[in-house]
Amino acid sequence: MASGLKRDPIVILRIDGEDLLEFINGPDYEAEMVLLFSQLESPDGSLHDHIVKVLEQLTVDQGMPPSSDSWVMSNIVEPALQSCTGQDHDKPLSQETFLAEFRKVAESVAQHLKEQPVIVAHCENTFDGSGIRRLLSNKFELDKTLNTATENAPKDRNGKISNEYLRVALDAVAPSAGLPPIGAIQEMDEVISEVFKMMNADDGKLVKEDEFKKMLTEIMGSIMLQLESNPVSISSNSVVHEPLASSTTLLQPSS
């Protein structure tokens, strides 16, 4: 996913437990925990495993750094889990027990974050088709982009290009169209695959270069319409392990 986010702004967040405590004591906490508990795939698992899985679902907006990071797991999550009581494995884990024990662990996580704040590089982006619309509205830029995307396309002796090269060409125009590289974001790949299927663009047919460019333009237009109707939003979080420059501005996650 990182390659799909490299053009997006990054916000540096200082997570110190305050937002997590605010979430725990907020009006939405219990309903959110009940929902996450109900979505656990293995209700017969251990209390420890359930708590770890739910902690992984919490976001920086709720005051939780990514527990997938080994430092966060070792220095924040695992020490906090020591407050978790043992479970009678002869009895299924009840929702009430989970809620009570999760709160203890979450409060301990917040205390550890207060003692050892975690710096997180947070990146968000929404693909709404606006980048494609800008490109399509600028004929000069569009023609230049299409020429660049097709200049290295393999051609037969009659100068025709196979439709199978359309995905490669789309990947080449992605930076100019405000799109991530193909393969970087699953949700975007699904949108692209649906458009290709709808336009029968993977049939391997040989076409002239002008027709190839026309099809590529139509594909971008269809992707744009899809994204305008159903934008794709993604986010990425990475714990910063290197010291930050003194001039770096640290922001709190939005409540």
Side-chain angles (χ1 to χ4, degrees), residues 53-69:
K53 288 178 181 178
V54 171
L55 283 173
E56 290 174 350
Q57 301 300 313
L58 299 186
T59 67
V60 292
D61 289 334
Q62 294 160 325
M64 183 67 197
S67 58
S68 57
D69 181 85

Side-chain angles (χ1 to χ4, degrees), residues 37-43 50 53:
F37 178 76
S38 68
Q39 293 174 343
L40 291 173
E41 294 181 358
S42 177
H50 286 330
K53 288 178 181 178

Side-chain angles (χ1 to χ4, degrees), residues 230-250:
N230 298 290
V232 172
S233 297
I234 50 90
S235 63
S236 176
N237 299 294
S238 300
V239 174
V240 179
H241 297 284
E242 296 297 328
L244 295 173
S246 58
S247 59
T248 303
T249 301
L250 301 180

Side-chain angles (χ1 to χ4, degrees), residues 150 153-166 199-216 218-219:
T150 58
K155 301 177 178 67
D156 71 358
R157 60 183 182 182
N158 297 316
K160 292 185 177 181
I161 307 172
S162 171
N163 284 352
E164 293 178 348
Y165 193 77
L166 280 167
M199 298 185 64
N200 195 27
D202 284 325
D203 59 5
K205 182 181 177 182
L206 290 171
V207 297
K208 294 181 179 179
E209 185 173 325
D210 288 347
E211 185 177 351
F212 184 90
K213 291 179 180 178
K214 180 182 178 183
M215 289 186 66
L216 182 57
E218 291 174 349
I219 287 171

Side-chain angles (χ1 to χ4, degrees), residues 139-149:
K139 188 177 185 306
F140 174 79
E141 188 64 27
L142 176 62
D143 289 343
K144 184 175 71 171
T145 301
L146 293 174
N147 288 336
T148 301

Side-chain angles (χ1 to χ4, degrees), residues 105-153:
V105 173
E107 288 174 345
S108 182
V109 167
Q111 180 59 38
H112 281 85
L113 287 171
K114 181 179 180 180
E115 297 168 359
Q116 301 182 84
V118 175
I119 306 303
V120 174
H122 177 67
C123 181
E124 291 188 4
N125 191 26
T126 297
F127 298 98
D128 57 6
S130 58
I132 300 176
R133 183 170 290 280
R134 282 193 297 271
L135 178 62
L136 296 182
S137 66
N138 186 331
K139 188 177 185 306
F140 174 79
E141 188 64 27
L142 176 62
D143 289 343
K144 184 175 71 171
T145 301
L146 293 174
N147 288 336
T148 301
T150 58
E151 64 183 359
N152 294 321

